Structures are given as C-alpha cells and as structure tokens.
Amino acid sequence: MDAAANRTPGRDSIAIESSVVAPCPSSRFPAFRLSRVHALWLVLWLALLAAAPARANIRFDMFVGYDGIVPQGSWFPIAFEIFNDGDPFVAELEVTPYNFSSGQTRSMIIELPQGTTKRFILPVHNSASYNPSWTARLRNERGRTLHEVQSQQIRRLGEPGVPLAGAITRTAPTLPELKNRAGQQPVIARLLPDILPDNPIALEGLDTIYLSSERLELLKAPQVTALQAWLHTGGHLVVGVEQVNHFAGPGEWLRRLLPAEITGISTNVPHAGLQNWLTNRQRFDGRDLASPGATPPAGQNRSARRVTNPVVAATSNFQNPYANLRTDGKFEDASLQAATVKLRDGQVLAGTETEPLIIMARRGRGQVTLLTFAPELEPFRSWKNGPHFWAKLTDYPPEFLVENANIQPHYGGRSLDGVFGAMVDSDQVRKLPVHWLLLLLVLYLAVIGPVDQYWLKKINKQMLTWITFPIYVAFFSALIYFIGYKLRAGESEWNELHVIDVIPQGEAADLRGWTFGSIYSPVNAKYNVASDQPFATLRGESAGNMAGQDTSKANVEQRGNSFRGVLHVPVWTSQLFISDWWGRSATPFAVSVTAAEVTIDNHLDTRLVNTRLVVNGEIYTLGDVPARKSQTFRRSAAPKASLSSFVSRYGDSFNSALDSRSHAFGGNTESRLPDKPNCTVAASFVTQLNTPNNQYQNFSTPPGFDLNPVVQRGDAVVLAFASDYAPVKPLNQFTPRRNNRSTLFRVTVPGEDR
C-alpha cells in the first residue's frame, strides 16, 4: 500500500514546507500561512508553558505587636501567617523599618510546602516614639519579590512608664475609662495562642500576662518555656482557675508553679474580700500603694520590670483612686465559683487563709498571682468594679485614675545604651577640639582672602587667583584628611561588655544577658556576627528621647530563635550594637546572704573583683573572690554607703558622656567611662538619678534592666565583676587586632532567704 495512503490526516502539516490552511466555510477569519519556523516556535512555547510551574497562590498576613499594641524602647513580636497554594519553595522574609521607625533590616529563611499554612514570629525592637511602621517582603529563591505588605497603623503606641498587660483568654479584660486621657484609653491586649511568641525576649514588652486555665491546653511546649523564662526574669503572671482538670496533662507545668495546690471547686465562696482588697491601699505585690518605690510621680515608669524613677510623692499627698468605689450589691449577693486550695507559699491578698481569693508568690525576679476564681464567668464578668480590679492587678498608674488629674504625655528619656557605649568605645577614636577647629577655619579664611589678595597684589599678578584658589582648596583638603587620619586611623577593634542576671533554678541557672559590643573599623567594611544562645537578638544603639533613631546599619538574619548578622561600619568610626539573649547554664557562683555575713562560692575559672552587696538602700564593698574559691565577708567590717550617693558619685558623668558622644567635635575624655566595674554597678541603678518633671534628661532602661524595684521590694542584690572574661562565646565572627571582654554578674537574693 502506498505510504502516503497510511498517513493520518493532519500529521504531516509540520513537515510540509509551506502549506495553506483553508478556513472553515463558516469561519469569519481569513486563512493564514504557518511556516516551519513558526510551527517550531509554537511547539517550543507550548512545551515551556506545560513545563512551567503553576503560579503560586500565596496569602500573606502580617500582625504587628500585641493585639496591635507596640511598646516603646522594647522588643515585641511581628507575627506572620502565610498560606502557599502553589509549588513548594524556600522563601526569604525581610522586614524593614519605615517612616519614623528605627532599626536594622531583619530577615528569616522559611520553607513553604504546598497547601499548608505557616505561622511564625520575628522579634523586632522599637526605638521610635512616633508613628512606627514596618514593611515586610516575601521573596523566592531567585530574590524576586512575591508579596510586599506594609503594616497598618498600630492600635496603640505604649507610653514609657505605663505598664502593658496581655491576656490569654476567651475575651480580654477591660480597664476603666479615663476621662482625663483623651485618645489614650488603656487596653489589655488579647493574646492568641496561635501567634503567642515562643521567644521570651519577644514577650518583654509585656509587664503582666493573664492566663486563663481554660487556654492551657492550647499552649505548645516552646511557648510554655518562653512564659516561664519571661516570668523568672521579672514578669507578672496572673492565673485564673476555671476547672481543676485544666491543670492536669498540658497544665502540669503551671500546677507546679502555683503557690497553692488546687484540691477542688466550690460553688458558693464568700467574696467580699475582693471589694475590700480593691479599695484598700495594698498593691498587687502586697506593698502599700504609697510605699517607697511604689508610686513614682506622674510621667515616670512604675512597673516592677520597667521602673525608670524610684522617686515617690509624699504619702500625705497620695490619693487612693480605689477608696471611693461603691459596693456592687448584685455582685456581692451572687454566688461565686472558686477553687479550694492548700497553700504552699506566698501571701494571701484577698479572702482568708482557708478560703483565699488572691494569692501571690515570687518566682525568680517575677511574681505569680493565683486567682482562685475565673474572671470570665459570672458574677465577676458583670461586676461593675471589674475594670478597676484589673487596673490595680496590672499595676496601672493610680494617678491616671484620679478624676481631673493633669497628666502630661510620657516620653522615653535618655537611653542607657550610650552610657555603655562610653564604656566600650575604642580609645583610637579621638575628636578634634572645637578651638582647634575654629583656628583651622580662621586660618583657611585668612589664606583664601586677605593673604592671597596681599601677595598677588604685591607681585601684581591678581589674575593668578584662578590658580592659587584651587591650590588652597586642595591643600586644606589634604590637611583635613591628614588631621583626620592622625586622629582616627588605627586597627580593627571589638570590645564586649556583658551584663548578666543570674536566676538560680536548682543546680542550674537562667541567664538573662545584655551584650554591649562596640566595633571600630579602620576601613569601610562589613563584619559578621552571630550568637549561639538559645534565644538571642541584635539591635543598634538607641538615641532615646523623641529621636529614638538608630543610625547604625546592619542586616540581621533570625535563625530559629538566634541570629546571624552583617554589620556595615564606615571608615574610622566606632559603633555600638546590643544583643539581648537568654540561656541556661551551671550557676556561675552561689550566694548566701544573712544579717551578719555574705558568702560567695565562685565556680568560675576567673577572679571576681569589685563584688558588692546592695540591700535596704545601702551598698557594701565586699572585695575579691579568687577563682574556684569560696569567700565569706562580714557585713559589719565591709565599707558601706547609701546607694543613692554611690550612684550619684559614678553616674554624674553619664549625661556628659552622652552629650559628648553625640558631638562630632570636642574633648576626648568626657565621652569615655573607663571605670567599668563601678560604672556598670551605677548603671544598674541608674534611675536613682531621675527627677520628677524632667523626662527628657531622665534615663530610660530596657525592660528588666533596672534593679531598683528588686531592692525596693526587700530583696538583696550581689554584683560581681569579671575582667577579661565572659561566660558565653563572643559575637564577632572575625578576628580583630584588638579585643576585650568583661562581665558584670547580678544575683538577686529574696528577702525571705536572708
């Protein structure tokens, strides 16, 4: 049979050199010619189209802060939820500050499988004091931007000095409506378990967290670890009891943490003690509302973790805003369901020893408060005084609740970062004194003006000024470069100063650390840094006050709960970076404090110097403790002074150091604080220097850094300095020509243990 007869119609159209395709009789379109080249291109295009992956359908959501609330001068979380309906790929998430915000570019590498929803959290530091916002970009492996989202206007910018509370519950509690705070109505943030941070540093923007027992089963193990670390480093955890079985299984960790054993539920518990506690002068921690350190004047931070001024108003001038709250008869007559408990430790604030309603106990540097009832249930839910109850329990400033009180806006004050920058800055950076700068300017003006005119006129060559003037400019430019080279040129240098809070946990200890690292660069260069701590972050120096801007440049990649970063440092400059971290290790040294003596058992391979004891407003100079040795100091033989005088003695130079660091010209001595052992101790109590009505000059500290509230509640603090030593690996991943590392350890001894 002829081969042509076996051909299937239409299969030879591509092989034909030039064929004419006739239109269908009903076609309205004219015939067109299809060449072999065109056909090959068409087939290739169809093949590529078939091989190309389907365009990913991605939903990209961004949630800023705690329920839209962002604190100032603190770390906070930005949560993301991404749904990928396309092919799986590895994405890069990048977050950059926008508008008046400050900070570095932060990124994270994430895997996005097909058909899954990923939720994750990036810790971000906010130094801005006005309208902060951030932009998030999602890129694929080739660097192409798939989505870009700008954060919406935040719900509230937390004021410095005003405690911020969050609630892990079905409905967030409410606070009293304030008539004298237009636009600043306080709120308690609702924290969703799905996006609750599992990093304790990202929780530090919160002073109080209320946890309903009904939500315990929704918390994951990493979130529980973060909550406990946050509590032990100074947080206030409030727990409400709804059912006994909530504390079994997933809630076992919390059962062990509470100050009482829950034995059952009673449906008709006397609860007049709630009204009594609310209207009396007792704080959430058992102290008097007007006791020293409890009620700083308006405009100052009062939180037990973020106090910025221990100065208090006279007790005679204190107004208790809760004293005149009327009794709610309907609430008093209703039956209240509450847990029956067996006390372990702590203090009963409301109720009786046999039927307690509120029990508080210290845990590390923080506090846990047990509510034996469930505030989400009736009759408490409808209690007219419920908002004031939450205001008192979350340590809201009582002066804000006084009717017709004139409360001014709160500002952040001066950042403590610059003080530590003055301790670790390189001495290779020298500034040109102002009088030398003025002399150089006068000399330049004299040369290009009267001197040039005089000698050109004397030789009768005035037209030569077109040549001499560029020569003068070139000469003085070279002279300025030479002066700058002599003042600033040097070797690469990296200095670290660690401040570490040691919170004993049995044989081990939680370590909450701040690493202040200063880098000096003799050239324009990039430097790699990284941390191996379980939880660690990196930020630049905050300027404080209204500026709050971070002028340093860095790219920080968050890897799990730690980071790697690249620092961009200009030539002949020194820049400060701060790493906040949390870890756990063996106890560096054990401390025992009694009324007669102090014993320090040094477990480190380095000598502890400048050890001091702070208790009852006094500071004792103890002495040195050799490596791997135990030393006992008699308190009666140790030199002592008032804490306020000690802080004034070494802290009076802090403001001048900050001013000098902000000036490009000036002296070289005021911008440095070489006495690290004493200056770090004074910085730990820096709010002793703060005064009322001077917010711009007062110092603001990171959450949990200031130790004044610890001493004010009756605890003792032992501080020890270790020169040329740090218990953690250095941040720098480069080899500088100069290097120095030092550490200040701080250990709190509860008042009942001494």
Side-chain angles (χ1 to χ4, degrees), residues 425-591:
D425 264 356
S426 171
D427 58 6
Q428 299 180 91
V429 178
R430 296 178 295 276
K431 298 180 180 180
L432 183 67
V434 176
H435 61 274
W436 284 104
L437 175 66
L438 295 176
L439 180 61
L440 185 63
L441 179 61
V442 171
L443 180 62
Y444 173 71
L445 295 176
V447 169
I448 67 173
V451 173
D452 180 68
Q453 183 184 24
Y454 172 78
W455 80 273
L456 289 180
K457 184 177 181 181
K458 187 173 183 180
I459 63 175
N460 199 24
K461 299 289 185 179
Q462 288 86 345
M463 291 300 294
L464 290 178
T465 189
W466 295 101
I467 299 176
T468 57
F469 184 79
I471 293 175
Y472 299 147
V473 173
F475 171 78
F476 277 96
S477 298
L479 178 62
I480 292 172
Y481 179 85
F482 177 77
I483 293 174
Y485 178 81
K486 286 296 184 181
L487 288 175
R488 300 242 172 173
E491 301 173 319
S492 61
E493 184 173 352
W494 173 261
N495 297 319
E496 285 183 356
L497 177 56
H498 303 263
V499 178
I500 301 177
D501 284 333
V502 181
I503 301 108
Q505 299 291 332
E507 296 297 324
D510 289 349
L511 303 181
R512 172 59 173 97
W514 294 265
T515 298
F516 299 88
S518 176
I519 181 172
Y520 170 79
S521 179
V523 295
N524 289 314
K526 299 178 181 179
Y527 299 90
N528 294 323
V529 294
S531 175
D532 65 345
Q533 294 302 307
F535 300 94
T537 54
L538 184 73
R539 64 178 177 88
E541 178 180 355
S542 174
N545 287 328
M546 291 296 291
Q549 298 300 311
D550 173 14
T551 58
S552 60
K553 184 179 180 182
N555 295 321
V556 181
E557 178 188 343
Q558 201 73 26
R559 294 192 170 187
N561 284 315
S562 196
F563 72 88
R564 295 185 64 88
V566 180
L567 313 181
H568 304 256
V569 186
V571 61
W572 299 346
T573 61
S574 180
Q575 292 191 352
L576 178 69
F577 295 89
I578 299 96
S579 174
D580 292 72
W581 56 271
W582 179 92
R584 178 167 289 180
S585 72
T587 305
F589 56 89
V591 175

Side-chain angles (χ1 to χ4, degrees), residues 279-357:
T279 55
N280 67 26
R281 292 165 60 98
Q282 192 179 43
R283 277 165 43 99
F284 73 97
D285 57 1
R287 290 187 292 155
D288 191 281
L289 277 172
S291 63
T295 56
Q300 308 303 329
N301 202 323
R302 324 174 43 257
S303 167
R305 300 174 58 240
R306 301 170 61 189
V307 171
T308 60
N309 190 358
V311 181
V312 297
T315 304
S316 58
N317 296 329
F318 173 74
Q319 299 183 52
N320 182 3
Y322 307 101
N324 297 323
L325 292 176
R326 295 181 179 179
T327 301
D328 184 352
K330 186 177 181 180
F331 171 73
E332 299 297 332
D333 294 337
S335 298
L336 179 71
Q337 174 183 296
T340 57
V341 300
K342 181 179 179 181
L343 291 176
R344 294 175 181 154
D345 61 348
Q347 176 184 354
V348 175
L349 299 183
T352 64
E353 294 289 329
T354 56
E355 293 181 317
L357 296 171

Side-chain angles (χ1 to χ4, degrees), residues 199-253:
N199 187 331
I201 298 174
L203 289 172
E204 285 191 343
L206 292 170
D207 298 277
T208 302
I209 294 179
Y210 167 66
L211 173 59
S212 171
S213 66
E214 180 264 340
R215 293 278 150 170
L216 276 173
E217 62 179 5
L218 302 179
L219 299 181
K220 302 178 178 63
Q223 295 171 323
V224 170
T225 300
L227 274 173
Q228 293 184 83
W230 166 84
L231 168 65
H232 290 143
T233 53
H236 180 203
L237 179 64
V238 181
V239 180
V241 179
E242 187 167 328
Q243 296 294 333
V244 177
N245 58 1
H246 290 162
F247 296 89
E252 179 66 22
W253 67 273

Side-chain angles (χ1 to χ4, degrees), residues 258-280:
L258 294 177
E261 181 74 27
I262 300 175
T263 58
I265 294 290
S266 179
T267 57
N268 190 15
V269 175
H271 52 279
L274 292 178
Q275 178 73 13
N276 295 335
W277 175 79
L278 180 60
T279 55
N280 67 26

